Amino acid sequence: MKIGVIGAGSISGAHFESYANNEQAEIFAICDLNETRAKQKAEQYGATHTYTGYHELLANKEVEAVSICTWNNTHAEIAIAALQAGKHVLVEKPLCKTVEDALAVEEAVKSSGKTLQVGFVRRYAANTEIVKRFIDNGDLGDIYYAKATCLRRLGNPGGWFADKERSGGGPLIDLGVHIIDICWYLMGKPKVKSIRGNTYHQLGNRSNVEHLDFYKAADYDPNKNTVEDMANALITFENGASLMVDVSFTLHAKQDQMAVNLYGDKGGAELEPSLEIITEKYNTMLNATPQTDHHSFNFQQAFQNEIDYFVDTINGDKETRSPVSDGVEMMKILCGIYESSEKGKEIQF
Ligand SMILES: NC(=O)c1ccc[n+]([C@@H]2O[C@H](COP(=O)([O-])OP(=O)(O)OC[C@H]3O[C@@H](n4cnc5c(N)ncnc54)[C@H](O)[C@@H]3O)[C@@H](O)[C@H]2O)c1
C-alpha cells in the first residue's frame, strides 16, 4: 500500500516510524512546504517522490492513502481534497478548527466512500484497550462522572501552535482534544447537552523561562502567541453524566500533571497517570492494578497500533475506531468550550 505523508514536521516522525514497521505499507511520497524537510524525510525513509504542494502529491495516482500531519487550519481542505482524489485519509487531531469544516469533511467522506480515520491516538493505546474491555463487560456499570487533567507548567510549542489563526486555539484544542475524546469514547459517546468553559490568557508563553526543555513545533518561534494558556470546562451529557477537564500550556504548577479518571456505579478506572481499576467486593474496597508492560500511555506502541489499524481498515479487515463522526462531535465540544468562555455563560445543545 503506497502511502503519502503530508506535513513532515515533528509528529510525522511517529507516522513514518510506524508505517516503516508495517509490512503492508510503503512510504512512497512526502509533501511539505519546506522542501528540505520533505527531502530529508524521503532520504531517511526511502520515499521516491517529494512535493511542496499537496495537490501534486494527491494527483499521483499510485498514492493510495495519506497521513495529514500539517497545521490544524489545513486539515479540512487537505482531507477533502484527498478524499475527492480517491485517497484514504488518516488526519491528525484535531479534525479541523470549526464545526462547519468538520461537517464538510464528513460530507466528503460520505460522497467519496473512502475511509477517514481521525488521529485520536489514545484510543489505540493498550491502557485504553484494557479499560474499554472492563467497561464493555459491565465492570464499571454506568459511568456518570469523568475527570481529565493535562497540565503543562511549561510547554507552549510556539510557531503555528501559538497562532490562533493556524491552530484554532491553545492547550484546549491541542491537548484537551486527546483527554476529552478519551473520556467521551470510554463513557460510550453520550450526546452533549451543555458546556460551561473558561479560557485564560494570564501568563503568555513564558519563553523567558530557562533550564527547562519542552515539545516544540518544527518552526519554533516564541514571538507570536495569540492562544489561551489555560482552559477548563464542565461538560454535561443528555444521559446525566458529566466530564470535568482542565488543560494548560503553562501554569504556576509545581509539576506537570496528567490524570484521566472514570467513575461508574459499579467501579472506577484510572487510565492516567497509572492504570488502575477500582471496585468493591464483599464490603471491601479494591484497587486492582492490571499487569501490563505499559501502565500509562505508551507513545510508540499507540502510534503503531493506530497506523496498523488504519492499514487494516483500508484493507477492509476492520471498521475504523475513530471515524469522522466522532471528529465532528469533538469539534462541537471544543468549539462549545471556546464559545462558552467568550460569552461567559453555559452553552446548550
Ligand atoms: N497525536 C499526537 O499526539 C500529536 C502530537 C503532536 C502534534 N499532533 C498534530 O500533528 C499536526 C502537526 O503537528 P507537528 O507538531 O508535527 O507540527 P510541526 O510544525 O512540527 O510540523 C508541521 C509541518 O507541516 C508543514 N505544513 C504546514 N502546512 C502545510 C501544507 N499546506 N502543505 C504541506 N506541508 C504543510 C509544515 O511546513 C511543517 O513542516 C498538528 O495537527 C498537531 O495537532 C498530534
Side-chain angles (χ1 to χ4, degrees):
M1 185 180 299
K2 290 188 167 61
I3 304 288
V5 175
I6 306 174
S10 305
I11 204 60
S12 72
H15 289 244
F16 285 124
E17 284 298 320
S18 306
Y19 282 122
N21 288 333
N22 185 303
E23 282 180 2
Q24 296 176 72
E26 175 191 342
I27 300 167
F28 179 74
I30 300 177
C31 168
D32 198 290
L33 297 174
N34 181 322
E35 191 173 9
T36 314
R37 200 169 287 156
K39 290 221 152 100
Q40 271 169 358
K41 286 279 175 12
E43 197 170 317
Q44 191 177 349
Y45 292 99
T48 47
H49 295 66
T50 56
Y51 305 90
T52 52
Y54 71 83
H55 287 293
E56 285 75 61
L57 181 146
L58 296 177
N60 188 322
K61 295 218 161 13
E62 287 189 80
V63 175
E64 219 177 303
V66 294
S67 267
I68 302 175
C69 304
T70 54
W71 310 328
N72 299 345
N73 66 326
T74 64
H75 288 184
E77 67 172 66
I78 300 177
I80 291 169
L83 292 161
Q84 287 172 348
K87 320 293 186 199
H88 301 283
V89 173
L90 168 55
V91 57
E92 263 302 345
K93 46 53 62 172
L95 174 58
C96 49
K97 273 175 43 179
T98 65
V99 177
E100 293 72 31
D101 281 354
L103 291 169
V105 177
E106 188 172 43
E107 194 48 49
V109 173
K110 281 186 191 145
S111 55
S112 69
K114 296 288 164 188
T115 291
L116 182 138
Q117 180 169 308
V118 186
F120 294 136
V121 65
R122 286 182 174 268
R123 293 189 184 194
Y124 300 86
N127 61 342
T128 303
E129 286 179 341
I130 291 171
V131 168
K132 179 92 166 62
R133 208 171 293 170
F134 276 79
I135 291 172
D136 289 348
N137 282 292
D139 288 52
L140 267 61
D142 279 335
I143 299 169
Y144 56 90
Y145 181 48
K147 192 169 185 297
T149 291
C150 182
L151 299 177
R152 287 182 183 167
R153 59 180 176 160
L154 185 72
N156 180 325
W160 71 268
F161 281 95
D163 172 8
K164 195 163 191 246
E165 262 309 297
R166 286 183 286 169
S167 60
L172 177 62
I173 201 163
D174 184 44
L175 310 173
V177 62
H178 279 302
I179 57 171
I180 294 171
D181 175 70
I182 205 61
C183 289
W184 179 71
Y185 168 70
L186 290 170
M187 291 169 96
K189 306 187 195 175
K191 272 231 152 323
V192 60
K193 185 173 163 235
S194 66
I195 291 179
R196 181 66 179 97
N198 299 288
T199 59
Y200 298 93
H201 298 67
Q202 296 288 338
L203 305 181
N205 62 9
R206 297 173 85 199
S207 58
N208 59 303
V209 173
E210 299 172 11
H211 316 299
L212 288 171
D213 201 15
F214 53 90
Y215 184 92
K216 293 186 179 83
D219 301 295
Y220 179 71
D221 172 9
N223 293 315
K224 184 164 192 186
N225 182 42
T226 51
V227 298
E228 81 277 2
D229 42 59
M230 199 272 166
N232 62 35
L234 178 64
I235 304 157
T236 308
F237 300 98
E238 279 181 4
N239 64 0
S242 54
L243 163 60
M244 210 154 87
V245 59
D246 57 5
V247 290
S248 70
F249 271 170
T250 190
L251 193 69
H252 285 302
K254 187 177 159 200
Q255 59 195 22
D256 291 353
Q257 279 178 52
M258 182 71 182
V260 176
N261 303 329
L262 297 137
Y263 305 101
D265 58 8
K266 291 212 176 91
E270 298 196 353
L271 205 64
E272 300 291 345
S274 188
L275 189 58
E276 203 87 30
I277 304 287
I278 299 100
T279 189
E280 181 194 309
K281 272 222 153 91
Y282 319 118
N283 303 326
T284 302
M285 289 171 92
L286 282 184
N287 294 357
T289 311
Q291 300 303 293
T292 159
D293 288 335
H294 307 293
H295 282 99
S296 65
F297 177 71
N298 183 274
F299 185 89
Q300 206 181 342
Q301 186 199 47
F303 265 97
Q304 190 66 56
N305 284 350
E306 179 184 46
I307 298 284
D308 291 348
Y309 215 94
F310 179 54
V311 170
D312 288 348
T313 303
I314 296 170
N315 280 336
D317 299 337
K318 283 180 179 151
E319 284 275 304
T320 179
R321 191 184 286 178
S322 43
V324 66
S325 51
D326 291 359
V328 173
E329 285 305 303
M330 209 39 54
M331 289 320 300
K332 283 186 192 161
I333 293 177
L334 295 169
C335 294
I337 295 172
Y338 282 124
E339 188 185 334
S340 164
S341 173
E342 240 166 64
K343 293 187 171 156
K345 60 174 193 181
E346 187 175 87
I347 299 298
Q348 300 285 341
F349 286 82

